[in-house]
Amino acid sequence: MTSATDVERERPAPARPAVFWGHVVTVPVLAVLLVAWQTATAGPWWPADGQAFPTGAAVALAVGVVLVVGGELWPVLGSRTVDPSGVAWSTTFAFAVLLFAGLLPAVALLAGASVLSGVLARKAAYRWVFNAGQYSLSLLAAWGVLVVFDRDARPSELWSPADLSDLGVVALAAAAYFVVNELLVTFAVSALSGTSLLDDLRSVLYFELVANGAQLGLAPLVAVVMEHAPALTALGVLPVLAIHRQAVAERESRHAATHDDLTQLANRKHFLTLAESAMDLAARSDQSLALLVVDLDRFKEVNDVLGHQAGDRTIVEVGRRLRHAVRDGDVVARLGGDEFAVLVPAITSLDDALGVAQRVVAELERPFEVEGRLVDLGGSVGVALLPQHAGDFEALFSRADAAMFAAKRDGGGIRVYGPELDSGATGRVGLLGSLRRAIEAGDLVVEYQPKIDMRTGATDGVEALVRWRTTDGVLVPPDDFVPLAEQSGLMPRLTASVLEQALAQCAAWQQAGLRVPVAVNVSLRDVLDARFAVGVAERLVRYGVLGPMLTLEITERVLAEDMLRVQATLEEVSGLGVRVSLDDFGTGWSSLVLLRRLPVAEVKLDRSFVAQVARSRSDAAIVRAVIDLAHELDLVVVAEGVEDAATWSALAAMGCDTAQGWHIARSLPAPAATAWVRERARDRHGARQVGDRTERPQPVPGQTGDGAGLAGR
């Protein structure tokens, strides 16, 4: 059952101390007065002289004592991410005692067990005093309902529900207990945090309804057992434990969806939700807040030299240090890779934010011990204020991000946002808003660049490349808006839009009798999303497209960030039959390791090697070695950036499987791509050989080479 213990652990610094302490004092005082009044006015509550107390009832109450005390002293242990101290399971038996023997035994048991638990755990006295008062008032509320319907019991008049009308009264009493208990505790939470009572109620209501609602629902059954089979009362603990295990598992699942699984910090999605709530509160209270974007310096060297496991341990330690550096009430999040953010609410001046930023930098500059070695990292911190620098979260994040990059260019440290940092800052913020609206309105379109089999000349598939033309007709280059989407958190929505359109077109081709696999680029933000594979599976089913018809292209830069999580996601999508392609192959140090560990079906030769393969002996040697290695591993090799006949001929002679680039075709709108594929199918025997082509299309703005990779999505 929720208690003030939970409140104290989560928010140790009262935001409204007068309200908090008034509440903490009032609750137990009111409970003592009401219980004393009931004791004085209720009449005899023990059997009259000469009347023996039933042996079975004594046994039942004795078992109830043990279970109530045990439920408080030994709570159900959940995950450390849900509730490190566990969840008490005493509610069922205390409420059953209330039904069976009345208010005073129930209050004595539950309040006494709460006090005993608090004393043994050496908690502050006000905490266990408040808990005892909270439980007592909740039991009083339930007892009041029983009195109104003439169902109240006492040791001299034992009772248990016998029919549906009794169960209806018990349900009302349970509801009164639950409502009063949750209000008493949640009011303390809101006083501690300065947040809305309704918001705090909403945040815990589901878990409390599942765990405590089920406990209260079992209580009438336990009361019946107490009366008719008292020796079996202890068996009631089994369903209670099962219910709590399920509730804790469900809450852990909800926690996993909102927190980074490595550091247990808030993830990007949850951080956005918390930030928007904090900004609304700041606007209502006429306060300022600050956003700090933190990027680690020299972290890639840790991954490169010591490996990804050492990198993960470093990230965990960074998370711990960031939590230590910030104030109570500040929110720390891991945005992905080695990028973090800190939300600093309720500040009075820039100095408050700078104080937090300075402590963050100081923590990061202390050497880290990893794999028995001392590692110097450091960090770059960008600071932006609301409302001084921006009026909404997207703009605030963009400006804090710009300040962080400025700090990184300066060699680390702290930079506060200012217009001088980037003359295009205002335009970028406006572009971000336009991009968000374009995604929501479905204004982004996908073009398709064909890939052909170098042996047969048949179409081997297409790559989906996103294009954005604004409402005023301006074509925005992908190099401008794709990085912006990644930095601002819009990338998952952008990827979802491309996937939707690409799979819909793939399905349309299937219905037209054309087999055209599609490839879609995905980013770090996508593969770090725990539900990414689920989303891919849902779209495949919706459009009736088989997994092998979809290829997801990833880069080594993505894989170097969080290898374990990325690997798990890729194995999930590979299990759907979806092919995984390693894009820009050959540009990273870990390529061979990745080929061994990941479910990769193909590699795409980076255009920097392809462009010179016919003119550079060293590039030709690298390409030939990669092709031979890939074929030994049963991987398909795709060459991107094939822009002339000489390059085509050189790659074909080396045994490259598939080619893509302007020498074959530029990116085409869906109707033109359909016509191209049909023509290719009619001409697949080489009436018009690709290697003999002399016509070269003109470049598309924002497209370099074949437009592949993130910048050409």
Side-chain angles (χ1 to χ4, degrees):
M1 173 61 71
T2 304
S3 70
T5 303
D6 306 308
V7 176
E8 180 70 13
R9 182 182 63 254
E10 294 173 1
R11 299 179 175 91
R16 298 196 297 265
V19 175
F20 173 76
W21 288 113
H23 181 65
V24 166
V25 171
T26 300
V27 167
V29 170
L30 183 61
V32 169
L33 292 176
L34 290 176
V35 171
W37 168 77
Q38 199 279 332
T39 303
T41 60
W45 60 280
W46 194 256
D49 293 342
Q51 183 180 352
F53 190 73
T55 302
V59 171
L61 289 175
V63 174
V65 170
V66 172
L67 294 176
V68 170
V69 173
E72 287 292 315
L73 293 180
W74 295 285
V76 177
L77 294 179
S79 165
R80 64 188 176 87
T81 63
V82 173
D83 194 338
S85 64
V87 182
W89 45 272
S90 54
T91 303
T92 293
F93 306 102
F95 194 70
V97 170
L98 174 71
L99 300 176
F100 178 62
L103 176 65
L104 293 182
V107 167
L109 275 178
L110 191 53
S114 176
V115 170
L116 179 62
S117 173
V119 171
L120 292 179
R122 297 184 178 181
K123 297 174 182 176
Y126 77 88
R127 293 171 63 182
W128 47 260
V129 169
F130 175 82
N131 287 349
Q134 158 210 337
Y135 288 141
S136 299
L137 289 180
S138 301
L139 289 169
L140 274 162
W143 170 78
V145 173
L146 295 173
V147 169
V148 168
F149 290 94
D150 196 25
R151 301 298 203 285
D152 59 316
R154 62 192 65 194
S156 60
E157 299 177 21
L158 302 174
W159 179 81
S160 66
D163 53 34
L164 290 178
S165 63
D166 287 344
L167 288 179
V169 173
V170 170
L172 290 175
Y177 180 98
F178 180 83
V179 169
V180 170
N181 186 78
E182 292 305 315
L183 286 175
L184 290 175
V185 174
T186 310
F187 186 84
V189 171
S190 65
L192 277 166
S193 62
T195 55
S196 163
L197 176 64
L198 290 178
D199 288 343
D200 283 323
L201 277 173
R202 281 194 293 265
S203 69
V204 299
L205 189 59
Y206 176 79
F207 176 74
E208 296 296 340
L209 278 173
V210 172
N212 299 309
Q215 281 200 69
L216 292 168
L218 281 174
L221 177 60
V222 175
V224 171
V225 173
M226 283 181 165
E227 182 175 10
H228 299 288
L232 300 181
T233 303
L235 295 180
V237 76
L238 298 179
V240 171
L241 294 179
I243 290 167
H244 264 297
R245 292 289 184 185
Q246 180 181 357
V248 168
E250 289 183 10
R251 191 172 178 187
E252 173 66 7
S253 176
R254 290 160 65 90
H255 178 93
T258 57
H259 289 73
D260 173 59
D261 59 1
L262 193 60
T263 63
Q264 299 307 316
L265 298 173
N267 61 19
R268 177 182 287 270
K269 180 179 179 181
H270 189 43
F271 183 71
L272 174 60
T273 301
L274 295 174
E276 290 178 341
S277 297
M279 292 171 71
D280 290 342
L281 180 62
R284 291 196 303 268
S285 58
D286 197 25
Q287 291 180 324
S288 295
L289 62 78
L291 175 64
L292 280 55
V293 174
V294 183
D295 192 80
L296 302 183
D297 298 332
R298 300 178 294 279
F299 176 71
K300 187 176 184 302
E301 286 79 351
V302 175
N303 268 339
D304 290 353
V305 176
L306 301 181
H308 290 286
Q309 290 186 347
D312 286 349
R313 285 193 284 273
T314 303
I315 290 294
V316 171
E317 174 63 14
V318 168
R320 188 192 67 80
R321 293 193 185 186
L322 290 180
R323 281 191 294 264
H324 180 263
V326 302
R327 313 171 308 169
D328 296 323
D330 295 345
V331 179
V332 184
R334 184 186 181 204
L335 303 181
D338 60 347
E339 187 179 17
F340 297 81
V342 180
L343 188 68
V344 186
I347 62 173
T348 58
S349 67
L350 175 61
D351 290 341
D352 293 338
L354 290 178
V356 175
Q358 288 163 0
R359 290 194 297 274
V360 165
V361 170
E363 287 287 342
L364 296 179
E365 287 180 345
R366 288 195 295 113
F368 291 76
E369 184 174 345
V370 184
E371 301 283 347
R373 305 184 187 183
L374 289 179
V375 176
D376 290 318
L377 286 181
S380 301
V381 180
V383 181
L385 305 183
L386 179 95
Q388 291 89 333
H389 298 145
D392 59 68
F393 180 77
E394 289 180 354
L396 188 68
F397 184 90
S398 179
R399 287 170 174 172
D401 204 45
M404 182 274 292
F405 279 112
K408 189 170 284 290
R409 286 195 301 267
D410 294 341
I414 304 167
R415 283 294 298 270
V416 178
Y417 173 80
E420 73 283 355
L421 290 180
D422 183 0
S423 59
T426 302
R428 189 169 63 249
V429 172
L431 187 65
L432 179 61
S434 298
L435 176 59
R436 176 177 54 79
R437 290 188 291 272
I439 294 174
E440 292 174 351
D443 291 340
L444 299 181
V445 298
V446 172
E447 294 186 352
Y448 302 91
Q449 185 171 42
K451 301 185 291 184
I452 64 173
D453 188 311
M454 298 192 72
R455 290 180 295 274
T456 67
T459 302
D460 199 41
V462 295
E463 181 178 0
L465 303 172
V466 67
R467 299 290 180 254
W468 177 25
R469 190 176 297 276
T470 62
T471 54
D472 56 3
V474 176
L475 183 64
V476 183
D479 284 342
D480 287 351
F481 70 84
V482 171
L484 188 62
E486 181 134 24
Q487 294 167 12
S488 64
L490 286 177
M491 183 55 75
R493 292 161 65 183
L494 177 59
T495 301
S497 174
V498 176
L499 271 173
E500 289 281 345
Q501 295 185 59
L503 289 176
Q505 184 58 54
C506 184
W509 280 326
Q510 284 183 171
Q511 293 172 1
L514 299 173
R515 185 184 183 280
V516 187
V518 295
V520 176
N521 290 276
V522 295
S523 73
L524 173 66
R525 308 296 186 208
D526 301 315
V527 294
L528 290 182
D529 184 350
R531 287 189 51 82
F532 177 70
V534 174
V536 171
E538 290 173 348
R539 291 181 177 92
L540 289 172
V541 172
R542 185 186 316 139
Y543 291 107
V545 175
L546 296 178
M549 295 294 289
L550 174 64
T551 297
L552 298 180
E553 298 188 2
I554 56 175
T555 65
E556 290 185 53
R557 183 189 67 80
V558 169
L559 298 172
E561 296 291 348
D562 195 337
M563 183 64 172
L564 293 179
R565 291 179 64 187
V566 171
Q567 184 176 3
T569 298
L570 296 183
E571 287 176 348
E572 283 189 74
V573 298
S574 181
L576 301 171
V578 174
R579 303 173 76 251
V580 176
S581 175
L582 190 54
D583 203 1
D584 300 336
F585 187 78
T587 60
W589 69 276
S590 56
S591 299
L592 299 182
V593 175
L594 297 175
L595 290 180
R596 187 182 65 200
R597 294 179 58 183
L598 298 174
V600 175
E602 73 175 33
V603 295
K604 295 190 73 173
L605 292 168
D606 185 67
R607 67 174 61 86
S608 62
F609 296 114
V610 172
Q612 299 297 321
V613 70
R615 292 173 285 277
S616 168
R617 292 183 59 188
S618 59
D619 283 2
I622 292 172
V623 170
R624 185 179 294 107
V626 170
I627 292 173
D628 292 343
L629 172 64
H631 286 167
E632 286 294 323
L633 297 174
D634 295 324
L635 301 177
V636 173
V637 182
V638 179
E640 58 180 351
V642 178
E643 301 190 358
D644 53 53
T647 302
W648 169 276
S649 299
L651 290 168
M654 294 177 186
C656 185
D657 302 300
T658 304
Q660 171 185 356
W662 285 4
H663 184 60
I664 299 147
R666 63 188 296 172
S667 63
L668 303 168
T674 302
W676 193 96
V677 171
R678 288 189 185 280
E679 180 183 359
R680 197 80 207 158
R682 289 194 299 268
D683 202 26
R684 62 175 298 172
H685 296 295
R688 187 171 58 126
Q689 295 292 335
V690 174
D692 297 332
R693 288 188 57 178
T694 58
E695 180 183 0
R696 177 183 176 122
Q698 295 302 308
V700 177
Q703 202 173 321
T704 56
D706 58 359
L710 283 177
R713 291 178 58 125

